[in-house]
Amino acid sequence: MPDSEGTSTELIDDEGRLFGRVNVIDALVVLLIAAVVVAGAAFVLTDDPAPPPETDTTYATLDVGTVSPYVVDAIEEGDAYDSDSTSTLRITDVHLTPQDGQARVILRVALEGERNEQGSLTYAGAPPRLGRTLDITTDRYQVNGQIRDVGDSDALATEQQRVLLSSQVDAGTAQAVTPGDEIRLSDRTVARINNVTTYTTNRSTQRQLFVEATLAGHRQQDRLRFGGSPVRRGQSVTLPTNEYTLDARIEQVSHDIDMDATTTRTVTLRMEEVREDFADAIEPGMVERTGDTTVARVTGVETEPSLIITTGENGSVNVVDHPVNREVTITADLQLREMPSGLAFKGDQIRQGSTVALDLGTVTVEATVVTVGR
């Protein structure tokens, strides 16, 4: 546009000055420096991207409880579950025991999660505390379990424990229980029958079993457990197979169980009010056997009439022999087993006043113990 004197000012004059005042090259340098300063300021003022969170892994034992067989068959080592974007659970070990017609499932799992400000691992928003319930969901199953232990090992603390079991079963089950039988759950052997001794009882359809077995237990708080219960004397266990289910009581827990560890004692037995023909059928030399083993041998029999009290016509009271009934005293050598509760005959504790049953082949005797020899 024209200046005040009527002449026009060019944008860049003949000397390369902008508006006749600033050199173009100097202006470009100034603009370049300004751009660098602005970019540097933006870089300095911009927040650094947050570093990725620190993660860690720990191991926990989950007690899932009893689970249906079809679910148990689906659970495998290596199964994984993402609880959220930063928490992952992976199964590293599986332990099964029979309980209540199902399988009790114990899992060892690897838990991966973020570390909190205190440096502790957090899984799905909280520490892996004892008693906390964790879910596991896969394409094939969904279960949950309580944390029972936390540690550094990816494997469960398991142990093979020999036990002596006792059980009264029907004759058919007694015949089916055989050394070498395995108790299996989902193709895993959880117990094994090593030895069996069978005795008769005072009921013709019942048998007394002593079973030496090996249980696959797992340690929890320094206590060995099987089927959700501690492995100790007096505890009940259930061992199911395809042919039978054995409900038994633990009589002894030891790695050195001797099924042949018995002692023979002379025992005096007494029967009262026995009919004469029955009493006459009991003779010295009669035996009871289980397999090839003699568990009882009659060495002496004494019979005398039972006494009755009668009243005479004159009112007198008289003690006379019973015309039919007899009192029978039997001396027998019995094979006894030393149990934690004391001596036992065919699984039942034997002491003065207790009752024993002898299957002598042609006759079965139920008598009261008078004395037990030493």
Side-chain angles (χ1 to χ4, degrees), residues 163-176:
V163 294
L164 180 63
L165 308 174
S166 67
S167 179
Q168 279 208 9
V169 299
D170 60 83
T173 299
Q175 190 173 5

Side-chain angles (χ1 to χ4, degrees), residues 6 41 51 73 84 102 132 171 180 191 209 221 228 267 270 299 318 360 365:
D73 290 342
D84 56 38
Q102 295 183 313
R132 182 186 172 190
L209 290 187
Q221 282 81 46
V267 179
R270 189 168 181 83
T299 58
N318 304 303
L360 303 176
V365 171

Side-chain angles (χ1 to χ4, degrees), residues 90-353:
R90 177 172 51 84
I91 297 175
T92 61
D93 200 2
V94 179
H95 180 75
L96 307 176
T97 53
Q99 183 179 343
D100 302 329
Q102 295 183 313
R104 190 179 191 94
V105 179
I106 307 294
L107 302 177
R108 192 69 170 177
V109 297
L111 301 178
E112 182 178 352
E114 294 183 355
R115 284 197 170 276
N116 59 23
E117 295 179 355
Q118 291 75 35
S120 300
L121 182 143
T122 299
Y123 175 82
R129 306 183 185 94
L130 297 181
R132 182 186 172 190
T133 299
L134 301 183
D135 294 324
I136 304 176
T137 302
T138 72
D139 293 339
R140 295 167 296 156
Y141 61 86
Q142 181 176 13
V143 297
N144 61 67
Q146 285 193 335
I147 298 177
R148 299 301 189 192
D149 179 65
V150 179
D152 298 327
S153 174
D154 63 353
L156 292 163
T158 59
E159 183 178 324
Q160 301 289 315
Q161 178 63 63
R162 294 176 65 189
V163 294
L164 180 63
L165 308 174
S166 67
S167 179
Q168 279 208 9
V169 299
D170 60 83
T173 299
Q175 190 173 5
V177 180
T178 307
D181 289 350
E182 290 188 344
I183 291 77
R184 297 178 62 82
L185 296 173
S186 189
D187 293 329
R188 302 170 189 261
T189 299
V190 301
R192 180 180 293 104
I193 306 296
N194 303 322
N195 208 341
V196 182
T197 299
T198 306
Y199 299 108
T200 59
T201 68
N202 58 348
R203 298 171 60 187
S204 61
T205 60
Q206 294 290 304
R207 299 291 183 270
Q208 175 68 49
L209 290 187
F210 276 95
V211 177
E212 191 255 300
T214 299
L215 307 180
H218 81 282
R219 287 209 167 271
Q220 182 176 307
Q221 282 81 46
D222 294 329
R223 174 167 288 181
L224 190 66
R225 306 177 74 87
F226 182 84
S229 302
V231 179
R232 63 187 179 192
R233 186 171 67 88
Q235 189 66 52
S236 298
V237 298
T238 299
L239 303 180
T241 69
N242 293 332
E243 292 75 28
Y244 60 84
T245 296
L246 180 65
D247 294 311
R249 179 179 185 271
I250 298 177
E251 299 291 349
Q252 185 179 350
V253 179
S254 174
H255 289 291
D256 185 23
I257 295 176
D258 186 1
M259 291 286 284
D260 298 325
T262 58
T263 181
T264 299
R265 301 285 182 89
T266 298
V267 179
T268 302
L269 306 171
R270 189 168 181 83
M271 299 193 313
E272 299 178 351
E273 303 294 328
V274 178
R275 291 184 62 85
E276 182 178 13
D277 55 348
F278 185 86
D280 291 341
I282 305 171
E283 299 178 351
M286 300 179 78
V287 298
E288 176 179 344
R289 291 189 175 90
T290 177
D292 297 329
T293 303
T294 298
V295 298
R297 182 183 297 276
V298 177
T299 58
V301 180
E302 295 181 3
T303 302
E304 57 186 13
S306 299
L307 299 179
I308 58 174
I309 298 176
T310 63
T311 303
E313 293 180 358
N314 58 0
S316 62
V317 177
N318 304 303
V319 179
V320 299
D321 293 344
H322 194 287
V324 177
N325 292 342
R326 298 291 182 265
E327 307 269 339
V328 181
T329 301
I330 301 172
T331 303
D333 292 335
L334 304 184
Q335 184 191 76
L336 306 182
R337 184 179 297 275
E338 187 72 48
M339 306 291 287
S341 57
L343 289 174
F345 177 63
K346 298 194 295 187
D348 294 324
Q349 189 173 10
I350 187 169
R351 58 189 175 186
Q352 187 176 9

